[in-house]
Amino acid sequence: MSKPFRAVKGTRDLLPKDTVQWRRLEAVIHDTMRAWSYGEIRTPVFESTELFARSVGEESDIVSKQMYTLSDQSDNSLTLRPELTAPTMRAYIQHDMARDGALTKLYYMDTLFRQERPQAGRMRQFSQFGAEAIGSPHPEQDAEVISLICAILDQLGVDNLEVVINSIGSAESRKRYRSELVSFLTPLKGQVSETSQRRLETNPLRILDTSDEKEQALLADAPDILEFLNEDDLGHFEELQKSLTQLGVDYRRDKSLVRGLDYYTRTTFEITSPDVGAQSALCGGGRYDDLIAQLGGKPTPAVGFAAGIERILMAAAEQKESSSGGVSVYVVTASDGARAAAAKLADDLRRTGITASFDTLRRSVKAQLREANRLSSSHAVFLGDDELASGSAEVKELDSGRQSMVAIEGIIPHFTTG
Ligand code: AMP
């Protein structure tokens, strides 16, 4: 016999017990986004490779080694989306959404793909939701976006969170900082990894992002970017902190939070939870005032975040779906002659919105009751030849064992008006 197929490494199936939890999370996200006036956008699964190279950056981990890239028959280079901000901005420009107003608020919830080394909390196909506020350069917009993700996490029962913020300034401030950082790191070159040595030439700020503890210790004395920010950048960061305090968001500043994507300017932030193990980041985001222009649109400031759904579900307190209050009926077929009537009754109940089941395995009454129990049905209705002859059937509350005789005609009103 051939070996059964398995899902590809780094991908997973969501089984019915998982999708219940997912749908709950999706509902919270849609409801909260609606309350905050963000409109949903869905973009294609693949885009031209150039879109990501130009926005996320050639030197980023994502573009340099994680993309699923393929050529189509016309030799176009296409890439399965490894993130959703660039596609969202591509769509914003393509559909001239700026025409609809000076501020555009969009959100997405979709699947993405990165060739990473799979481990707990790190998948090759995973899902994110995110929000993008396009049009405002002001710090209250950054604070609104941070407060929005905090509100969603709060509603999902994810506590024990840490909000970490930083500012990496505008391109101009960053240039000054970059040369200072290179002067600091050059004498230490022999003590850092090959990757960091390469980054010293190509993108020194990214070294601050290192997960290597030895390098982190070396970086403790690195110059602080805040000292290199111009007055406007600094004012923006101070106002952001004030806005967050006003909104009741606790945060910590981390001078090494630069994030792994090239398009950020000024604000960067991350939300972490110790409850998900080594991959503790639940959400990352920041301002990207230059991205829309880089992608060929009119220069437009924007700020947003992306949060990983799988990791949030890992961090969410186990929320058991409560079955209390909901009626679900198991129609027990008590004789062969009642099979069609049981199927019809279950069908009628379902059409009124009541969860109902009946047996298609032609099992014994005892086995059917075991099944009703497994399904956590609240009631059983017994239909057999006698019931069909008399026109009434026994309805049993499975928790209490309480029973009553109900006219078959009256069973649907019994449940719908009860
Ligand atoms: P990023 O787009 O890299 O800023 O990531 C934003 C969020 O997506 C992270 O904070 C994680 O929660 C989640 N995430 C990123 N990469 C993965 C992955 N490979 N598997 C699962 N979740 C991920």
Side-chain angles (χ1 to χ4, degrees):
M1 224 170 50
S2 59
K3 230 163 91 190
F5 288 102
R6 297 185 62 83
V8 172
K9 201 164 101 182
T11 71
R12 64 176 285 206
D13 302 307
L14 295 179
L15 304 182
K17 67 177 165 37
D18 307 312
T19 51
V20 167
Q21 226 194 348
W22 274 70
R23 276 214 305 272
R24 192 185 147 266
L25 174 139
E26 286 164 1
V28 167
I29 293 166
H30 289 305
D31 289 350
T32 314
M33 293 293 187
R34 190 178 329 113
W36 296 60
S37 309
Y38 282 73
E40 188 184 6
I41 183 161
R42 299 186 193 190
T43 59
V45 167
F46 53 81
E47 298 273 355
S48 80
T49 302
E50 184 57 22
L51 173 67
F52 301 110
R54 220 191 300 161
S55 54
V56 180
E58 300 274 6
E59 258 301 307
S60 63
D61 283 350
I62 292 180
V63 173
S64 63
K65 54 188 184 205
Q66 295 174 349
M67 298 204 299
Y68 282 97
T69 296
L70 54 113
S71 299
D72 67 9
Q73 286 111 324
S74 321
D75 264 350
N76 297 311
S77 179
L78 306 174
T79 291
L80 299 186
R81 58 183 174 214
E83 64 100 59
L84 278 143
T85 298
T88 303
M89 293 312 122
R90 195 258 317 127
Y92 171 82
I93 298 165
Q94 180 177 336
H95 302 287
D96 196 10
M97 294 173 87
R99 226 185 17 203
D100 304 334
L103 185 65
T104 306
K105 290 160 88 178
L106 300 171
Y107 79 97
Y108 56 76
M109 178 150 44
D110 254 317
T111 305
L112 40 153
F113 309 86
R114 293 183 194 169
Q115 292 194 57
E116 298 197 74
R117 197 163 43 80
Q119 62 186 82
R122 198 195 276 161
M123 320 266 305
R124 289 186 164 176
Q125 175 180 325
F126 60 101
S127 299
Q128 287 184 343
F129 66 92
E132 318 284 4
I134 308 159
S136 168
H138 301 300
E140 56 269 35
Q141 184 60 70
D142 309 42
E144 186 212 46
V145 159
I146 295 175
S147 175
L148 164 60
I149 173 64
C150 290
I152 291 175
L153 292 171
D154 186 48
Q155 284 187 63
L156 293 171
V158 187
D159 34 31
N160 209 0
L161 291 177
E162 187 168 52
V163 178
V164 186
I165 63 168
N166 194 21
S167 175
I168 57 168
S170 52
E172 181 224 352
S173 302
R174 224 165 28 246
K175 214 153 117 197
R176 282 188 291 140
Y177 176 64
R178 185 188 153 124
S179 64
E180 199 66 24
L181 186 65
V182 171
S183 311
F184 169 82
L185 286 169
T186 305
L188 304 172
K189 200 170 169 184
Q191 300 177 53
V192 301
S193 66
E194 248 174 61
T195 312
S196 292
Q197 286 181 16
R198 204 188 60 239
R199 285 179 171 164
L200 194 55
E201 313 289 330
T202 55
N203 195 343
L205 257 74
R206 178 104 354 98
I207 301 175
L208 297 175
D209 227 10
T210 180
S211 49
D212 179 329
E213 283 178 20
K214 214 182 86 208
E215 290 186 7
Q216 282 172 351
L218 287 176
L219 286 164
D221 295 328
D224 185 339
I225 194 162
L226 277 201
E227 287 160 27
F228 298 83
L229 297 191
N230 64 29
E231 211 177 306
D232 283 353
D233 289 343
L234 206 54
H236 189 278
F237 192 48
E238 276 163 9
E239 273 193 62
L240 164 66
Q241 295 178 68
K242 271 195 215 128
S243 302
L244 287 175
T245 306
Q246 260 158 15
L247 292 170
V249 175
D250 285 333
Y251 62 88
R252 175 173 72 81
R253 184 198 163 224
D254 180 345
K255 70 172 188 177
S256 67
L257 180 70
V258 293
R259 312 256 321 118
L261 295 82
D262 268 4
Y263 49 62
Y264 287 114
T265 50
R266 293 191 164 170
T267 311
T268 54
F269 64 92
E270 211 161 75
I271 299 181
T272 58
S273 159
D275 298 344
V276 285
Q279 304 298 318
S280 64
L282 299 180
C283 162
R287 181 164 274 288
Y288 47 94
D289 291 346
D290 303 333
L291 178 60
I292 293 173
Q294 271 164 30
L295 295 178
K298 202 169 117 249
T300 312
V303 56
F305 71 80
I309 296 184
E310 286 82 359
R311 285 199 206 158
I312 288 174
L313 287 174
M314 282 164 77
E318 272 295 303
Q319 310 258 356
K320 285 253 176 297
E321 270 298 283
S322 97
S323 55
S324 63
V327 169
S328 60
V329 180
Y330 198 96
V331 184
V332 176
T333 311
S335 70
D336 289 347
R339 218 170 268 137
K344 176 78 170 101
L345 178 57
D347 199 82
D348 289 346
L349 283 163
R350 291 162 174 173
R351 283 168 198 270
T352 67
I354 292 173
T355 303
S357 305
F358 71 100
D359 187 44
T360 56
L361 293 174
R362 303 191 173 185
R363 287 175 288 191
S364 68
V365 169
K366 208 167 138 198
Q368 290 181 59
L369 285 171
R370 264 204 305 272
E371 179 70 1
N373 190 35
R374 194 182 70 81
L375 295 172
S376 307
S377 305
S378 61
H379 293 78
V381 176
F382 294 83
L383 277 189
D385 294 344
D386 293 349
E387 285 78 6
L388 293 181
S390 70
S392 32
E394 185 191 312
V395 175
K396 185 172 177 179
E397 265 178 47
L398 291 171
D399 263 354
S400 64
R402 211 173 317 137
Q403 303 180 13
S404 52
M405 289 303 284
V406 178
I408 293 175
E409 298 278 274
I411 286 181
I412 288 180
H414 176 84
F415 288 115
T416 51
T417 57

